[in-house]
Amino acid sequence: MVYFLFSCKSKKQTKTADYKLEQLANGTNPNQVQFAGMYIDGCSARMKGNLQEALKLFLECKKIDPSSVPVKFELATIYKLLGNTPLAVENAKICAESNTKNEWYQLLLIECYNTSKQYALAVKLQENLVKNFPTSTEFKEDLAIQYSLLGQYDKAYKIYDDLEKTYGTNEQLTLNKIKLLKGQKKVKEAEIELLKLSASSPTEARYYAYLAELYDEQHNTAKTKEMYDKIAEVDPNNPTVNLALSDYYNSINKPNEAFNCLKKAFQNPDLDIGTKANIAFSYYKRAESSPESNYKNEGFELAKLFLQTNPQSPEANGVYADFLMLDNKTSEAANYYYKSAINEKSDFRIWNQLLFLYSDLKQYDSLERVSYKAMELFPSQPTTYFFNGIANKELHNFKKSAQSLKDGLEFIIDNKIQLMQFLSNLGDVYNYTKDFQKSDKAFEDALKIDADNTYVLNNYAYYLSLRNENLDKAEKFSKKTNDLQPNNRNYMDTYGWILFQQKKYKDAELWLGNATKMGPKNPNIIEHYGDVLFKLNKLEEALIQWNNAKQAGGASESLLRKIKEKKLND
């Protein structure tokens, strides 16, 4: 008689199942070599995670030997992993019944029963395992869990109690007992167990923390405080003690004491960064929604302590910058957002905030550099492309600007406002590169989204007037702009300049003259006013306005020539 010995590693790395596959005598089973090869290949495929391939191979094995229990064991395992519980149970049951002393067969069927929530069947099998392997504490603990699933808490408790009597006080066993007792609302019994656990190790702060939690749930403030004091005594450097005390003082409405404990926790470098970040940011969100509250001052204090103890932390720098923003300290905030961003490559919120700040601060060199890096880190975020386009536009890198804005359009999804921003800026940039056809199309596309957008209407009209093209359309758009937003000197200047291009000099004089009287002196508007005065033969007044434009900062070659030659150079 010939035997083949196989070993397939199970899901638990420490467990193996060895199978003797009995073959018929030599010459009576010509498929035995093929069977063995497919079985081994199936085991290999399963262990590599190729479940479908493994399933196919074991089904072929089953065709050769339909009665093979090891094959059914493998099929049950694979069906369980694939989520086909009925077939897993069917095959696992055959294995378990074939050998009631084989622990692996029994364990597999128990898992399948638990997966299908057949807990009563699972518990019977687990009871048999305990009988067959009476020295296995693992099987006894699993049986306790099975009893808990069925709500048989007394039976589960007895197992844990017996194990403790046999092996002595054990943290995990005691905690399992306490969980059962709390589930049955046996608070006094749970307290006794916790007191026993803390007595077994008087310097273990966690046990006092468990007691504090139990007392807190019962609203026993005196006992809760007693446990916190005990924790502070045995583990004075434990930062979570002060967090617990802070919660305690809040619960009894003593906010000042609570905040002092919170500060002590933040001063401890051993308190993990994630906890500090979550607490500090929660203060920021509350300060943001309630600006008149004390959350801002308290949060700022915590953020400073966070930064002092963790100066290189991206979270510390980021939340400190958040609080600086609440005080409108944008330039200082940008520095801390930058420190946070360069050390945390995955938090888009920080990078996005930094981009907005650089844009508001008109720090276009920094905006260009950081937005370029952000495009690499967050390639599907349209905001990064937008700010890179803006930066390059302001730096007169118009081709780079156009490319970034065009690339970013691909990532805009159902956001009309964002689409408007991209198209209007593309219209500007294409105009600067003298690609007027693309510029006009970008503005036209923008107006299809929002026909009343004054920025687009004004710029489109102005660019047409500079080219002296489609002046009727330009005049129509500019008039609409001023109707929508009257008394805007830039829009008034555009309309006056279009009237100038249409040779409507008297009307242009009125619009441009009024525009010069509004706001700080603008050299371009003043120069335009001088031009229209010249066309109206008011030569001395025109020269005065050109000189006023120069004094206001105008320095174009065209303006200086007008002043020198005392005439308009058409």
Side-chain angles (χ1 to χ4, degrees):
M1 190 169 289
V2 181
Y3 293 87
F4 287 94
L5 184 66
F6 297 100
S7 176
C8 279
K9 191 176 278 189
S10 76
K11 185 176 181 183
K12 294 182 179 179
Q13 295 296 312
T14 59
K15 296 180 180 178
T16 60
D18 294 335
Y19 309 114
K20 289 182 178 180
L21 300 183
E22 183 175 348
Q23 304 298 313
L24 296 176
N26 287 340
T28 60
N29 185 356
N31 294 320
Q32 63 182 3
V33 175
Q34 182 185 4
F35 179 95
M38 286 192 297
Y39 187 92
I40 292 171
D41 290 343
C43 286
S44 176
R46 176 172 65 78
M47 287 187 284
K48 291 177 180 178
N50 300 328
L51 299 182
Q52 292 295 341
E53 178 64 20
L55 179 62
K56 178 181 175 183
L57 288 164
F58 286 122
L59 288 173
E60 289 297 320
C61 287
K62 186 179 177 182
K63 288 180 183 178
I64 296 173
D65 186 358
S67 63
S68 171
V69 173
V71 169
K72 289 183 172 62
F73 180 86
E74 293 297 334
L75 286 171
T77 301
I78 292 169
Y79 283 132
K80 180 173 71 72
L81 293 171
L82 290 173
N84 192 332
T85 305
L87 283 178
V89 170
E90 179 185 322
N91 284 275
K93 190 174 181 182
I94 294 171
C95 297
E97 290 175 351
S98 73
N99 186 349
T100 57
K101 297 296 179 75
N102 186 307
E103 59 185 291
W104 313 119
Y105 293 168
Q106 307 306 312
L107 286 170
L108 179 60
L109 184 55
I110 289 169
E111 287 184 26
C112 292
Y113 279 149
N114 282 329
T115 301
S116 57
K117 298 183 179 180
Q118 299 181 69
Y119 302 125
L121 294 174
V123 81
K124 288 182 180 179
L125 289 175
Q126 194 72 46
E127 286 172 340
N128 287 331
L129 270 179
V130 171
K131 289 177 184 178
N132 291 329
F133 301 92
T135 61
S136 172
T137 58
E138 182 181 356
F139 290 163
K140 290 177 182 178
E141 289 182 44
D142 287 344
L143 179 57
I145 293 171
Q146 294 291 158
Y147 284 143
S148 298
L149 291 172
L150 288 171
Q152 297 177 9
Y153 301 117
D154 291 338
K155 286 185 177 181
Y157 184 86
K158 186 177 185 309
I159 290 176
Y160 291 133
D161 202 41
D162 289 343
L163 286 170
E164 271 200 333
K165 289 175 182 176
T166 303
Y167 299 104
T169 301
N170 174 282
E171 177 181 338
Q172 192 54 55
L173 291 175
T174 302
L175 291 177
N176 287 338
K177 289 169 67 178
I178 292 164
K179 185 177 180 181
L180 288 171
L181 291 168
K182 289 177 72 175
Q184 298 174 83
K185 301 189 184 306
K186 295 181 178 180
V187 179
K188 190 62 182 176
E189 291 86 340
E191 179 189 8
I192 291 169
E193 291 294 339
L194 278 172
L195 287 170
K196 281 166 51 181
L197 187 60
S198 61
S200 71
S201 184
T203 59
E204 179 52 70
R206 285 185 300 114
Y207 301 156
Y208 298 114
Y210 297 149
L211 277 163
E213 181 182 354
L214 180 69
Y215 292 137
D216 185 54
E217 289 171 357
Q218 303 309 309
H219 306 292
N220 190 334
T221 55
K223 288 267 190 163
T224 302
K225 178 63 164 55
E226 182 183 335
M227 289 304 105
Y228 287 143
D229 290 340
K230 196 71 177 175
I231 296 169
E233 179 185 327
V234 300
D235 191 4
N237 294 322
N238 188 334
T240 57
V241 175
N242 282 303
L243 291 181
L245 283 169
S246 177
D247 290 339
Y248 164 76
Y249 282 122
N250 273 322
S251 70
I252 60 173
N253 198 28
K254 290 188 175 181
N256 292 333
E257 289 86 342
F259 186 66
N260 285 333
C261 289
L262 200 53
K263 287 195 295 182
K264 288 179 183 178
F266 267 66
Q267 288 168 335
N268 194 323
D270 292 332
L271 181 62
D272 69 280
I273 286 174
T275 299
K276 288 181 179 178
N278 289 336
I279 294 172
F281 193 69
S282 71
Y283 269 81
Y284 167 75
K285 296 303 290 183
R286 284 180 281 181
E288 192 178 35
S289 59
S290 304
E292 301 306 317
S293 69
N294 200 34
Y295 288 128
K296 185 177 80 169
N297 293 331
E298 290 182 341
F300 215 152
E301 195 170 350
L302 292 177
K304 288 177 182 176
L305 292 172
F306 189 10
L307 192 63
Q308 288 170 8
T309 53
N310 306 90
Q312 302 305 317
S313 161
E315 294 87 349
N317 282 280
V319 76
Y320 187 67
D322 288 336
F323 279 100
L324 287 171
M325 286 296 295
L326 290 179
D327 270 352
N328 296 315
K329 297 177 180 179
T330 54
S331 182
E332 191 177 351
N335 293 331
Y336 286 97
Y337 278 130
Y338 180 75
K339 290 179 183 178
S340 178
I342 59 174
N343 289 309
E344 176 51 77
K345 302 296 193 296
S346 60
D347 191 345
F348 179 68
R349 185 190 78 87
I350 296 295
W351 286 82
N352 197 46
Q353 187 77 299
L354 183 59
L355 295 177
F356 272 99
L357 275 185
Y358 280 149
S359 178
D360 289 344
L361 293 167
K362 302 188 187 310
Q363 296 179 10
Y364 297 116
D365 285 332
S366 297
L367 181 62
E368 194 281 330
R369 184 180 69 256
V370 173
S371 62
Y372 183 81
K373 183 64 177 177
M375 286 162 60
E376 294 179 333
L377 293 172
F378 311 99
S380 61
Q381 289 287 352
T383 310
T384 63
Y385 298 89
F386 176 75
F387 281 116
N388 189 260
I390 293 298
N392 278 300
K393 182 177 84 167
E394 296 296 333
L395 295 171
H396 294 182
N397 301 324
F398 298 124
K399 289 186 178 181
K400 285 184 179 181
S401 176
Q403 188 63 53
S404 293
L405 292 168
K406 189 171 68 171
D407 291 343
L409 282 173
E410 299 178 20
F411 302 104
I412 299 175
I413 301 173
D414 297 330
N415 190 328
K416 290 184 178 181
I417 294 175
Q418 200 171 53
L419 186 57
M420 278 291 300
Q421 292 173 329
F422 271 78
L423 289 172
S424 60
N425 279 281
L426 269 173
D428 291 340
V429 173
Y430 282 137
N431 177 76
Y432 299 144
T433 60
K434 301 189 184 306
D435 197 339
F436 300 128
Q437 186 175 358
K438 288 183 179 179
S439 175
D440 291 354
K441 185 179 185 307
F443 284 130
E444 293 287 354
D445 289 343
L447 290 174
K448 289 176 184 176
I449 299 170
D450 182 4
D452 293 336
N453 187 287
T454 54
Y455 178 89
V456 174
L457 288 167
N458 179 73
N459 282 21
Y460 190 15
Y462 186 63
Y463 296 148
L464 288 174
S465 73
L466 291 178
R467 285 149 47 191
N468 207 10
E469 295 178 5
N470 293 321
L471 293 179
D472 289 342
K473 176 189 280 191
E475 191 273 336
K476 174 185 173 185
F477 284 167
S478 185
K479 181 63 167 62
K480 184 176 183 180
T481 304
N482 282 279
D483 289 341
L484 290 168
Q485 192 172 331
N487 300 319
N488 181 308
R489 65 172 181 165
N490 291 318
Y491 296 165
M492 293 168 64
D493 173 58
T494 296
Y495 191 59
W497 186 249
I498 292 169
L499 293 171
F500 176 88
Q501 294 288 59
Q502 291 177 317
K503 303 187 186 318
K504 300 176 181 178
Y505 300 127
K506 290 298 295 181
D507 292 335
E509 179 188 18
L510 177 64
W511 281 86
L512 291 170
N514 287 333
T516 60
K517 298 172 185 176
M518 301 177 65
K521 292 184 177 180
N522 183 303
N524 292 325
I525 297 176
I526 298 171
E527 183 181 354
H528 287 166
Y529 184 42
D531 291 351
V532 75
L533 290 172
F534 183 86
K535 286 293 186 181
L536 290 170
N537 293 318
K538 299 179 180 181
L539 306 184
E540 290 185 8
E541 293 181 45
L543 189 57
I544 291 171
Q545 295 304 322
W546 289 336
N547 277 297
N548 288 340
K550 181 181 176 182
Q551 291 174 5
S556 68
E557 183 180 337
S558 173
L559 174 63
L560 296 177
R561 192 189 316 160
K562 293 173 190 176
I563 295 171
K564 181 179 180 181
E565 297 179 359
K566 299 182 181 180
K567 66 175 184 177
L568 184 63
N569 303 292
D570 293 329

